[in-house]
Amino acid sequence: MTLTKAFDPSALVAALKSTGVADAEKLVNDALPVVFDWLNSSVSMAVPAPYGMIVSTVLSELESKALAALNVSEGKI
């Protein structure tokens, strides 16, 4: 995937549409927070210390940036 800016939700929507996802906008808006919740929960269970804390920190930052980008473009993707 080629991006012009990091965490661009419109690029994610376009990529999903190219794979045949019919309502990619709704999927991204509804599923992205759930996916991050799943990832955070999984990391806390499966990744041993001290790596789990490192992964959780990185994942939290990624989640923050991705959801902020989604909120900025909400209704525009």
Side-chain angles (χ1 to χ4, degrees), residues 21-43:
V21 174
D23 196 358
E25 291 91 353
K26 181 169 177 30
L27 176 66
V28 169
N29 285 311
D30 294 348
L32 199 57
V34 175
V35 169
F36 274 110
D37 185 35
W38 173 73
L39 288 169
N40 284 309
S41 297
S42 296
V43 164

Side-chain angles (χ1 to χ4, degrees), residues 5-33:
K5 64 181 182 175
F7 303 105
D8 182 6
S10 60
L12 179 56
V13 169
L16 290 168
K17 283 183 177 180
S18 74
T19 65
V21 174
D23 196 358
E25 291 91 353
K26 181 169 177 30
L27 176 66
V28 169
N29 285 311
D30 294 348
L32 199 57

Side-chain angles (χ1 to χ4, degrees), residues 39-40 43 47-48 50-62:
L39 288 169
N40 284 309
V43 164
V47 182
Y51 306 109
M53 292 180 69
I54 295 167
V55 172
S56 290
T57 301
V58 171
L59 189 56
S60 178
E61 186 66 23
L62 292 174

